[in-house]
Amino acid sequence: MKSIFHPSSERGHASFGWLDSHHSFSFGNWYNPEKTNFGALRVLNDDIVEPSMGFGTHPHQNMEIVSIPLYGELAHKDSTGTNGVIRTGDVQIMSAGSGIQHSEFNHSTEKKVNFLQIWILPKVGNITPRYDQKTFSEAARVNRFQTVVSPVDEDAIWINQDAYFSLATLEPGKELEYKVNSPNQGIYVFVISGKLEVEGNKLERRDAIGLWEKNEFKFQAEIKTEFLVIEVPLK
């Protein structure tokens, strides 16, 4: 087994007044040659947006973009005709494909929104742009993995890549085991809150670790812990 540890304290950071963003991988004006990607995982941004503020209309191409609100509500509008709100408990995906334009704003005039924005390199380029979102039961991920993004699972939202996103909430002392879907893939573990032990590595809030060259990985929570596992091709 091989691993790479990304402590929260070493993430990139950008603050623009209306936006407070931490980057697990090189993004914008922050560049770290050792943190450009983890296989097909290109971006993992932890964004906090002030009330009524957000990202104006801008383009994307050939990228699978996943948004996961941690608290608050995010208003989304794009050139496919989608105009809606992503709430806590929802997971959204947008295939930029041959080209798409979209905007994202905090839907609230009073409260901040915190969401994870994750970019995955696509399996097939220049597909027709598409959008999907789904609400997932938070209770259904307690002490078990809940697959929210998958190329094959009908209960999850579809992605144009051999990538799988799984959320879990582990109670203190509980354990979980994750089995990769392909031996050529690795997992990137991001701790949303709590304290987690992964294959002997201790992680705390917003820490992350990439693991590969093993088919099964064990997790144990020291306290109540929420975390995300992103499985991606490494080549």
Side-chain angles (χ1 to χ4, degrees):
M1 183 191 76
K2 293 183 179 180
S3 66
I4 184 167
F5 178 52
H6 288 170
S8 171
S9 60
E10 294 181 5
R11 294 184 296 172
H13 181 232
S15 179
F16 301 102
W18 62 273
L19 169 69
D20 187 68
S21 180
H22 287 84
H23 316 315
S24 294
F25 300 97
S26 297
F27 189 85
N29 293 326
W30 182 70
Y31 177 73
N32 183 330
E34 296 181 357
K35 293 183 178 180
T36 56
N37 67 298
F38 178 77
L41 173 58
R42 174 60 191 86
V43 168
L44 198 168
N45 287 351
D46 183 1
D47 292 342
I48 297 175
V49 179
E50 294 294 318
S52 300
M53 303 300 288
F55 305 88
T57 302
H58 58 283
H60 289 285
Q61 189 173 7
N62 287 324
M63 194 67 70
E64 300 292 298
I65 301 173
V66 177
S67 295
I68 304 176
L70 302 181
Y71 61 77
E73 300 179 345
L74 193 66
H76 172 96
K77 187 176 182 179
D78 66 46
S79 53
T80 69
T82 301
N83 188 354
V85 178
I86 314 158
R87 296 177 169 85
T88 306
D90 293 347
V91 177
Q92 173 221 53
I93 191 165
M94 184 177 70
S95 295
S98 58
I100 196 170
Q101 294 198 20
H102 80 130
S103 63
E104 292 172 304
F105 281 83
N106 187 340
H107 186 61
S108 173
T109 59
E110 300 177 351
K111 299 179 180 180
K112 298 179 181 181
V113 61
N114 181 201
F115 69 104
L116 301 179
Q117 182 176 134
I118 303 162
W119 296 7
I120 303 290
L121 299 170
K123 184 175 184 177
V124 179
N126 296 318
I127 68 169
T128 300
R130 57 178 291 276
Y131 177 94
D132 196 8
Q133 97 180 54
K134 185 175 180 177
T135 302
F136 293 88
S137 167
E138 295 183 33
R141 69 183 67 141
V142 176
N143 297 324
R144 63 185 294 268
F145 283 113
Q146 179 187 57
T147 303
V148 296
V149 175
S150 166
V152 294
D153 189 339
E154 293 183 354
D155 293 327
I157 54 177
W158 183 80
I159 187 169
N160 174 29
Q161 183 52 274
D162 296 324
Y164 303 80
F165 288 45
S166 300
L167 288 163
T169 301
L170 265 185
E171 296 175 331
K174 295 290 185 178
E175 295 184 355
L176 273 179
E177 185 175 272
Y178 184 94
K179 296 182 180 180
V180 296
N181 291 273
S182 168
N184 299 318
Q185 306 206 143
I187 63 170
Y188 193 79
V189 183
F190 182 82
V191 177
I192 297 168
S193 64
K195 295 183 178 181
L196 185 69
E197 183 170 328
V198 188
E199 295 292 330
N201 300 276
K202 295 184 181 296
L203 282 71
E204 299 190 7
R205 181 181 182 274
R206 272 25 181 206
D207 287 344
I209 190 168
L211 301 162
W212 67 102
E213 292 192 1
K214 190 176 180 181
N215 293 329
E216 299 178 1
F217 301 94
K218 293 182 178 179
F219 302 79
Q220 183 177 43
E222 182 177 332
I223 60 176
K224 183 181 178 181
T225 301
E226 298 176 83
F227 63 102
L228 170 67
V229 174
I230 304 172
E231 179 185 339
V232 289
L234 296 179
K235 294 182 179 180

